[in-house]
Amino acid sequence: MASQSNVLQSCLQEASRAAQPALERSIDDAVAALQVAETQSMKAVERDALGTAWRELLRNKSMWSAQYPADLRALFEASLEATANSAHAPLSSRSALSPSSSFSSLEPVEASLYSPSQAAALSAAPPSGFQSHSAFSLVNDADVSQAIESSRLLQQILPTVEQTLAELNKLMSSVQGLSNVRPELNPLRPETFAQALRELISATPAEPAVTSLWLKYLADPLGRELKRVYERLVSQLEMANVQGASYRVLPTPASSGRGRGAGRPGEGPGADSSTGTGNGQRAGGSRGHSGYGTEGSGFGEAAARAPSQYADLSNYEIRDELFQDFLFHGGSNANHGLAPSYYATIDEELAALQASPDSAPAGLGESRRAPLSEYQRLPAVDRPPRFVNELSQLNPQVWGAYGRPKERAIVRTQLKKEAQRVGQVLGLEVVRKLVNQVAQDPRLLVPVREAIVALEPSLLRLAMVDPRFFSDEGHAGRRLMERVAQRSFKYNDEFSPEFLAFFEPVTQAFNALNGQAIDGTEPFALALAALELDWDTQDQQETDSRQNVVQALRFAEERQTQADQISFDLSSRSDLDNVPGMVLDFLFGPWALAMAHARLADTRNQIDPEGFGSVVPDLLWSVKREVTLKQPAKLIDMIPPLLGKLHAGLELLGQDPRESEAFFEGLMNLHQPVLKLRRLKSQRDAEESGAAPLGPEDLPATPEQRRARVAAHPWLGREDLDAAGFEDTLPSAPGDLSPLDDAEADASDAAALQAQGLDSPTTAIITASPAATRPAAEAPSAALPQPVPAAAPKPAMDEAEAEQLLLSLRAGGWVDLYSKRRWLRAQLIWASTKGTLFMFVSHGGQPHSMTKRSCERLLRERLLRPVDTHGVVAQALDTVALQAGRAAQPEPQTA
């Protein structure tokens, strides 16, 4: 019990520790979504509300993040106290309104009629308490609204965490010493996290409309973060060898009747009377659990009894209706026994297999040694596919005896011989088909597909215990396959050191599983937990290295948003007449950015942080010659502090002094007449000075310069550009990019980027001319340079198609990116709210950032290729089902 208590406390500590970064990421995602909604809204009132919501959300981010773990910890402790009081109460005596389900088990509006404390009191009261109304009172409208919003928040979170939560409920119930699964006593249930967040929001002074927007936009990201926390906790519990509790099923009169023979035709003593189903499925279980496992399924119990019906599978084929029923509906005959003729057929099949000679081809590495040298030199994304299926010969040095297809077939046939029920035989067949489909998935690297083939013996043994494990997305056996497949999408080159480092622990885990006796899910759960722990460590290192870069880009985006607003405000000033265009360009550009930076960095809520706003009228006055010539002394006194403030603002911004040299030279020329006047002795010289011809800096602002414009991209300093990896997106070989047909458009884009300070790294991608001068020696030495395919005379994709493909990219999606003479697998981790800047990360957390035009250009040239990573196992099962469905259809009759 002490050990279980330690494990429980460790889980609670881990959950509260992970809560702070989870809430921070949720707030960041919510802010980004609110900003997108603000830019897309056509109503001024709605835009104002959305803008206020995300600004206030950012302002409260640090305070909430610091308070959230402590609030959660208090709720955890309160839940443990409630568990101690009610854990051993009979299930039938518990109220339908428990503290954890007071808002989830009622309809939202009904639950909202009671405050949380009243609902909790109601849940603790005996059933007779429902007859007395003295303990309850209607609450005010504000409480009703809050309760409704809380219910909605929970309803949005639950679907995201449902699968993982089912596993966590079982493990947490076991750790708490409960004999059956009690989700309402899990201190880490979603209601706890939602309640803590709602209380934080309620304690923050804000308009009701703003708090509603917060709850609405925080729900989805909080659900995603909570799912990650749950996954880590499940892995932690499985590493601690915690065995999940089982779901308790209370028999109903209807099910009892069926158990006594009142069921459907075909259900007899072989059916599971504890669930009242003839196919062994668990009644009332969580979605996706088949009921053939060891946890309350009743399959083992039914298997021990002599069946009343037998199925003849001696001539079994995949097209049979028996298989269709099992695959699509769970199998109404799954618990039927097997006829003697079936075992006779399997004996013959096994004898033939054992008598057949080994084909004994050369090992995979030896047979491919010669051609692999040429194969390896091809670009990773253009290597021809290599066929793998269930009959493939695998490298015996890696996979041992199970590298031979004959050994795997013998295991499969021996298990068929050991089968006692139809469901076991059908489960073995589904596993064979499933492995065969995954092995032929071209999205996976060849070693990963071969690993799934090599794992078949363990999966077959698992199917004997849990014939329908494949139908449960949360099952450890299926999760292991899917997680290995998904993790492998980080890599696109099977020969790279990064992939080999990933694949070595996978081979060790799979070989260890093949060497174990499989009598439940525990071996798969432990194997996955060990792999996940290693992956989490790697991911944390990469996350730490790129977090600062992402924060810098988000800060730059927010700074640019505020700078755009500041420039609009400046453009409406009444003292802009006769101001040179050069000065207005500076005010609406760099100086608006400096003012925005000062406001965002201000922690004292000052009206004019750093005094940058007060510089504006002085600067405008100082460049009006007709005024300054009349008051030269004032200008002379003003110039030193004015220049000091301007330089301080640009330094705070992080701007390279060379970028502002032209402005300060022009400003000095504008001030020169007054400075010369100080040295003049006569009025005539002063008049000549005042009548001097106008220079470029003296030209008055054009109507276009008088109008402030929204920047196409957030401004970034040189250090931010380098840290974000704009330079790393440069190709480094001549001719990597073919000439564009829209050269003029690219030229204008390059000019715009130059004005934003992005010209050097980004336009090189567009023009490709600087790349031609980069020495090839700068290419990474860790792997062979991979030449880019010869570019076609015209782009491989038209502009509209490239733009649509870019819009389909989502954060977390994978792409193949050609950078510095190598094809890299990279993940999109950030995109600006306006969709103008994108940041990808490749191996080791290396960032690669680029503009929208650069992304579209690379897409058109097939140098940026999105990778399809949707569910590998799910797709394989869909294919098996589709093939089975087609096979089941009768062939058309011909005349």
Side-chain angles (χ1 to χ4, degrees):
M1 180 60 69
S3 175
Q4 286 184 332
S5 177
N6 292 337
V7 172
L8 177 60
Q9 290 300 324
S10 176
C11 286
L12 298 182
Q13 292 171 3
E14 173 63 21
S16 59
R17 185 195 65 80
Q20 179 170 348
L23 182 59
E24 289 175 346
R25 287 190 292 267
S26 298
I27 291 176
D28 289 338
D29 291 345
V31 167
L34 283 164
Q35 289 174 339
V36 171
E38 181 186 13
T39 59
Q40 295 176 348
S41 176
M42 303 299 292
K43 299 179 181 178
V45 176
E46 189 176 79
R47 285 198 304 272
D48 291 342
L50 291 166
T52 301
W54 69 256
R55 291 186 183 91
E56 291 296 323
L57 200 54
L58 279 178
R59 185 171 290 108
N60 290 295
K61 174 182 174 181
S62 59
M63 181 186 68
W64 288 0
S65 301
Q67 183 65 29
Y68 194 51
D71 291 350
L72 280 174
R73 188 66 184 176
L75 291 174
F76 294 161
E77 296 298 333
S79 179
L80 290 180
E81 292 180 8
T83 301
N85 296 330
S86 62
H88 303 290
L91 183 65
S92 58
S93 68
R94 292 200 309 269
S95 169
L97 280 174
S98 66
S100 65
S101 59
S102 58
F103 289 101
S104 59
S105 60
L106 290 177
E107 293 296 326
V109 175
E110 290 179 326
S112 69
L113 294 178
Y114 301 98
S115 65
S117 60
Q118 291 172 328
L122 176 63
S123 66
S128 60
F130 283 96
Q131 299 175 4
S132 174
H133 301 280
S134 60
F136 307 105
S137 62
L138 291 178
V139 297
N140 57 35
D141 292 342
D143 290 337
V144 171
S145 299
Q146 285 186 357
I148 293 175
E149 290 171 353
S150 301
S151 178
R152 289 173 179 169
L153 174 65
L154 190 59
Q155 288 172 358
Q156 287 180 269
I157 292 175
L158 286 175
T160 305
V161 302
E162 182 179 7
Q163 294 286 349
T164 314
L165 179 61
E167 294 299 315
L168 183 63
N169 283 335
K170 292 192 294 184
L171 296 170
M172 288 297 294
S173 295
S174 179
V175 169
Q176 292 175 272
L178 304 175
S179 58
N180 299 109
V181 178
R182 298 278 296 275
E184 75 280 2
L185 298 182
N186 181 2
L188 302 176
R189 56 191 178 275
E191 292 92 327
T192 304
F193 291 84
Q195 179 184 347
L197 178 60
R198 186 189 64 78
E199 291 177 354
L200 272 178
I201 292 176
S202 299
T204 304
E207 294 293 330
V210 172
T211 59
S212 295
L213 287 172
W214 288 345
L215 289 169
K216 176 182 178 182
Y217 282 88
L218 279 169
D220 286 341
L222 182 63
R224 292 192 297 268
E225 293 299 329
L226 193 53
K227 181 182 179 183
R228 294 176 184 173
V229 173
Y230 284 171
E231 288 174 347
R232 295 181 66 175
L233 292 173
V234 167
S235 298
Q236 179 176 329
L237 290 167
E238 289 173 343
M239 286 289 290
N241 294 320
V242 175
Q243 308 295 322
S246 60
Y247 283 92
R248 181 180 180 184
V249 180
L250 297 178
T252 63
S255 62
S256 301
R258 286 195 297 268
R260 290 189 297 269
R264 297 171 300 179
E267 292 180 349
D272 185 358
S273 60
S274 67
T275 62
T277 56
N279 59 2
Q281 287 185 326
R282 182 172 56 243
S286 62
R287 187 178 64 181
H289 290 268
S290 63
Y292 283 106
T294 60
E295 299 172 354
S297 66
F299 181 82
E301 217 176 281
R305 297 192 297 266
S308 62
Q309 298 189 31
Y310 292 94
D312 183 5
L313 298 182
S314 57
N315 295 318
Y316 168 73
E317 292 184 6
I318 193 69
R319 294 185 296 273
D320 286 351
E321 292 183 2
L322 197 62
F323 183 82
Q324 304 300 316
D325 183 43
F326 177 78
L327 189 61
F328 295 121
H329 308 295
S332 58
N333 298 315
N335 278 331
H336 289 176
L338 298 164
S341 58
Y342 163 80
Y343 292 103
T345 302
I346 295 302
D347 284 337
E348 295 175 3
E349 181 181 339
L350 183 59
L353 266 175
Q354 292 172 336
S356 64
D358 285 327
S359 56
L364 190 63
E366 298 174 3
S367 63
R368 291 177 178 169
R369 184 170 299 165
L372 275 183
S373 59
E374 293 298 327
Y375 180 85
Q376 186 173 353
R377 289 193 180 94
L378 294 172
V381 297
D382 291 323
R383 289 172 183 154
R386 281 151 51 188
F387 182 76
V388 178
N389 71 352
E390 60 174 317
L391 301 177
S392 295
Q393 173 77 24
L394 310 181
N395 189 343
Q397 296 177 352
V398 177
W399 301 113
Y402 291 134
R404 297 192 296 271
K406 175 182 174 180
E407 293 299 323
R408 300 193 298 272
I410 288 176
V411 170
R412 187 187 312 120
T413 309
Q414 285 176 335
L415 291 174
K416 287 182 179 180
K417 183 177 179 180
E418 296 172 8
Q420 300 180 21
R421 292 294 183 269
V422 170
Q424 291 175 310
V425 179
L426 300 179
L428 294 174
E429 185 63 19
V430 173
V431 167
R432 183 184 71 83
K433 290 288 183 181
L434 175 62
V435 166
N436 194 45
Q437 287 300 325
V438 175
Q440 298 179 58
D441 193 328
R443 300 173 299 167
L444 300 175
L445 294 175
V446 169
V448 178
R449 291 189 272 148
E450 293 173 341
I452 298 299
V453 173
L455 186 63
E456 184 187 7
S458 292
L459 296 173
L460 292 169
R461 296 181 184 116
L462 179 61
M464 290 289 289
V465 180
D466 194 355
R468 283 187 54 81
F469 77 89
F470 56 84
S471 66
D472 178 8
E473 293 183 4
H475 194 283
R478 176 167 170 176
R479 282 172 55 211
L480 177 63
M481 287 191 290
E482 187 63 49
R483 286 294 292 125
V484 168
Q486 290 296 325
R487 186 72 182 187
S488 73
F489 285 131
K490 287 173 63 72
Y491 314 95
N492 65 354
D493 185 359
E494 63 188 274
F495 304 106
S496 68
E498 298 89 356
F499 173 76
L500 296 177
F502 152 76
F503 194 60
E504 179 62 26
V506 173
T507 59
Q508 293 175 359
F510 283 15
N511 280 325
L513 283 171
N514 281 339
Q516 296 182 48
I518 305 298
D519 55 3
T521 63
E522 290 77 17
F524 289 86
L526 290 174
L528 178 58
L531 291 173
E532 291 275 17
L533 185 62
D534 184 40
W535 296 341
D536 285 344
T537 302
Q538 298 173 20
D539 290 344
Q540 189 60 47
Q541 294 172 350
E542 292 187 8
T543 299
D544 293 342
S545 65
R546 74 193 186 198
Q547 188 65 27
N548 291 337
V549 180
V550 174
Q551 289 296 339
L553 290 176
R554 286 175 173 164
F555 181 86
E557 184 178 26
E558 169 61 9
R559 178 178 59 195
Q560 189 64 62
T561 300
Q562 290 208 21
D564 291 339
Q565 184 60 51
I566 291 172
S567 64
F568 275 111
D569 295 340
L570 292 176
S571 67
S572 63
R573 291 178 64 95
S574 59
D575 54 354
L576 299 185
D577 294 336
N578 301 322
V579 174
M582 175 200 72
V583 176
L584 292 186
D585 289 341
F586 174 81
L587 278 180
F588 297 163
W591 198 245
L593 283 165
M595 293 176 63
H597 191 111
R599 292 181 184 181
L600 289 175
D602 176 40
T603 58
R604 295 180 293 174
N605 199 25
Q606 302 175 83
I607 297 176
D608 183 19
E610 305 293 339
F612 290 162
S614 63
V615 172
V616 175
D618 291 344
L619 177 61
L620 295 176
W621 184 88
S622 73
V623 297
K624 296 180 179 180
R625 183 179 302 185
E626 71 281 2
V627 178
T628 56
L629 285 173
K630 296 177 182 179
Q631 304 181 59
K634 178 180 178 180
L635 178 63
I636 292 170
D637 292 338
M638 180 187 295
I639 287 176
L642 174 64
L643 294 178
K645 277 291 185 183
L646 294 178
H647 284 294
L650 297 179
E651 288 176 5
L652 178 65
L653 197 60
Q655 187 180 89
D656 190 328
R658 292 173 295 181
E659 298 180 38
S660 55
E661 283 181 358
F663 167 74
F664 284 105
E665 289 177 2
L667 186 61
M668 183 180 65
N669 292 335
L670 290 171
H671 294 163
Q672 190 64 31
V674 176
L675 298 177
K676 286 181 64 178
L677 183 61
R678 189 180 187 185
R679 299 189 298 270
L680 292 177
K681 303 283 186 185
S682 66
Q683 183 64 30
R684 179 181 176 184
D685 291 335
E687 292 174 358
E688 291 177 357
S689 175
L694 294 176
E697 64 278 352
D698 294 297
L699 296 177
T702 64
E704 183 66 20
Q705 288 175 308
R706 290 284 297 267
R707 290 195 296 268
R709 290 167 295 182
V710 176
H713 313 89
W715 183 88
L716 293 169
R718 185 59 51 190
E719 292 183 359
D720 292 334
L721 288 170
D722 294 340
F726 281 90
E727 184 71 19
D728 287 332
T729 57
L730 289 172
S732 58
D736 281 347
L737 299 177
S738 61
L740 283 178
D741 295 333
D742 55 349
E744 294 182 0
D746 281 337
S748 63
D749 184 75
L753 291 171
Q754 185 173 6
Q756 292 294 325
L758 303 181
D759 58 313
S760 174
T762 313
T763 56
I765 302 176
I766 299 174
T767 62
S769 56
T773 63
R774 184 182 301 275
E778 293 186 16
S781 58
L784 293 174
Q786 300 171 4
V788 67
K794 291 185 178 181
M797 186 184 301
D798 60 35
E799 292 185 13
E801 187 179 358
E803 183 177 7
Q804 191 64 29
L805 189 57
L806 182 59
L807 290 174
S808 68
L809 293 180
R810 295 289 181 269
W814 293 96
V815 299
D816 285 318
L817 170 67
Y818 187 69
S819 175
K820 290 190 174 181
R821 305 187 70 189
R822 282 191 68 190
W823 279 103
L824 303 174
R825 180 61 58 84
Q827 188 177 33
L828 177 63
I829 66 166
W830 177 83
S832 64
T833 55
K834 296 179 181 178
T836 56
L837 287 183
F838 299 86
M839 180 176 175
F840 300 85
V841 168
S842 64
H843 307 306
Q846 176 62 46
H848 309 268
S849 299
M850 62 192 76
T851 63
K852 176 183 179 182
R853 181 174 289 276
S854 301
C855 280
E856 291 176 349
R857 169 73 195 283
L858 295 175
L859 284 169
R860 294 203 305 272
E861 296 295 338
R862 299 281 295 153
L863 299 177
L864 181 67
R865 306 180 184 181
V867 177
D868 175 20
T869 61
H870 70 270
V872 172
V873 177
Q875 178 173 292
L877 285 171
D878 289 344
T879 303
V880 170
L882 182 63
Q883 292 174 348
R886 288 176 178 172
Q889 295 177 355
E891 298 183 359
Q893 298 291 333
T894 57

